């Protein structure tokens, strides 16, 4: 039997319907992801109870204390320390978003899903350019070279200087040298804190700011910083 000839407009219309359904699936999946994220946020806040004295209770809108109880200085100190540790962890989770989004969009690119960057920008509220930078970072930095102690902006500085070349077209800095600067940035600067009540000095190391890392990279490439 002779197969009927399908006109091009009909084929295009069918493809449009398929693509529309695929788009609806992604939107629906994003909605499900958002709902799961809200549940995890609630659970995370509820887990404050493991970091602070039992007499305190936390929620998304604040903290309360059991009636008939009095806080001691130790209670307040433990609660402040616990909340601070938790939010330091939250900051790192927020920082990890750029890596995870970048990796996800890179995976989508290989799979032929070409609108992942746009979807990520819409869902996160970040500029499309920011998501594209995240993809560049994800492709350039192996997981073992990503430093959780540093921000994405530190890594972006290193990535940018991987593109710097001399007059002969040779890179100033190899990948190994660039990654070495990240390690140096993590070690950072020595900070001395003084406890007011006792005068005791506590030394610790703090990662350098992004501006310091940029200065190191400029010096290594023989580039003079722009005068303000």
């Amino acid at each position: 039997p002779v197969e009927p000839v399908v006109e091009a407009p009909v084929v295009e219309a069918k493809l449009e319907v398929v693509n529309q359904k695929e788009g609806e699936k992604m939107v629906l999946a994003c909605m499900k992801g958002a709902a799961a994220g809200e549940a995890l946020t609630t659970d995370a806040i509820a887990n404050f109870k493991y970091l602070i004295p039992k007499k305190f209770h936390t929620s998304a809108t604040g903290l309360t204390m059991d009636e008939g109880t009095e806080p001691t200085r130790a209670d307040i100190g433990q609660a402040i320390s616990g909340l601070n540790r938790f939010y330091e962890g939250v900051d790192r989770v927020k920082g990890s978003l750029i890596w995870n989004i970048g990796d996800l969009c890179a995976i989508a690119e290989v799979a032929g899903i070409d609108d992942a960057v746009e979807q990520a920008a819409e869902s996160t509220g970040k500029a499309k350019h920011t998501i594209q930078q995240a993809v560049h970072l994800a492709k350039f930095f192996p997981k073992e070279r990503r430093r959780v102690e540093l921000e994405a902006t530190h890594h972006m500085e290193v990535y940018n200087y991987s593109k710097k070349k001399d007059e002969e077209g040779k890179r100033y800095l190899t990948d190994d040298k660039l990654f070495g600067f990240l390690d140096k940035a993590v070690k950072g600067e020595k900070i001395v804190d003084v406890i007011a009540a006792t005068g005791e000095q506590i030394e610790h190391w703090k990662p350098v700011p992004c501006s310091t890392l940029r200065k190191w990279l400029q010096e290594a490439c023989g580039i003079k910083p722009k005068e303000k």
Side-chain angles (χ1 to χ4, degrees), residues 17-163:
V17 171
V18 170
N19 289 335
Q20 182 179 353
K21 289 182 178 179
E22 287 296 326
E24 290 173 355
K25 286 180 181 178
M26 182 174 280
V27 171
L28 180 60
C30 286
M31 292 172 63
K32 289 181 178 178
E38 287 295 334
L40 286 174
T41 300
T42 301
D43 288 345
I45 293 172
N47 284 333
F48 275 150
K49 64 185 179 183
Y50 298 112
L51 300 172
I52 61 178
K54 293 182 179 180
K55 64 182 67 176
F56 297 120
H57 306 280
T58 58
S59 70
T61 54
L63 179 146
T64 59
M65 186 177 68
D66 287 336
E67 292 185 7
T69 61
E70 289 289 335
T72 64
R73 291 181 65 85
D75 289 334
I76 299 298
Q78 182 184 344
I80 290 173
S81 178
L83 292 174
N84 182 57
R85 288 200 307 274
F86 182 86
Y87 278 108
E88 284 179 348
V90 169
D91 285 341
R92 289 189 178 182
V93 170
K94 289 172 65 178
S96 73
L97 172 65
I98 205 73
W99 289 115
N100 285 279
I101 288 291
D103 285 330
L104 187 61
C105 289
I107 290 171
E109 182 181 310
V110 173
I113 301 171
D114 58 3
D115 61 341
V117 169
E118 288 78 5
Q119 185 64 51
E122 182 178 344
S123 296
T124 63
K126 296 184 181 297
K128 182 179 176 181
H129 175 67
T130 300
I131 303 300
Q132 289 170 331
Q133 285 183 322
V135 177
H136 292 320
L137 290 181
K139 291 179 178 179
F140 181 73
F141 287 98
K143 280 193 172 62
E144 65 272 13
R145 288 296 193 175
R146 303 173 187 180
R147 302 308 301 260
V148 68
E149 303 91 342
L150 301 176
E151 298 177 4
T153 49
H154 289 82
H155 293 81
M156 182 55 68
E157 284 292 342
V158 168
Y159 170 75
N160 288 337
Y161 277 86
S162 73
K163 306 298 181 183

Side-chain angles (χ1 to χ4, degrees), residues 171-190:
R171 284 176 54 180
Y172 285 111
L173 301 171
T174 64
D175 287 354
D176 284 341
K177 287 184 178 179
L178 288 168
F179 297 150
F181 278 108
L182 278 183
D183 295 337
K184 183 179 177 182
V186 170
K187 182 178 180 182
E189 305 166 325
K190 185 170 74 171

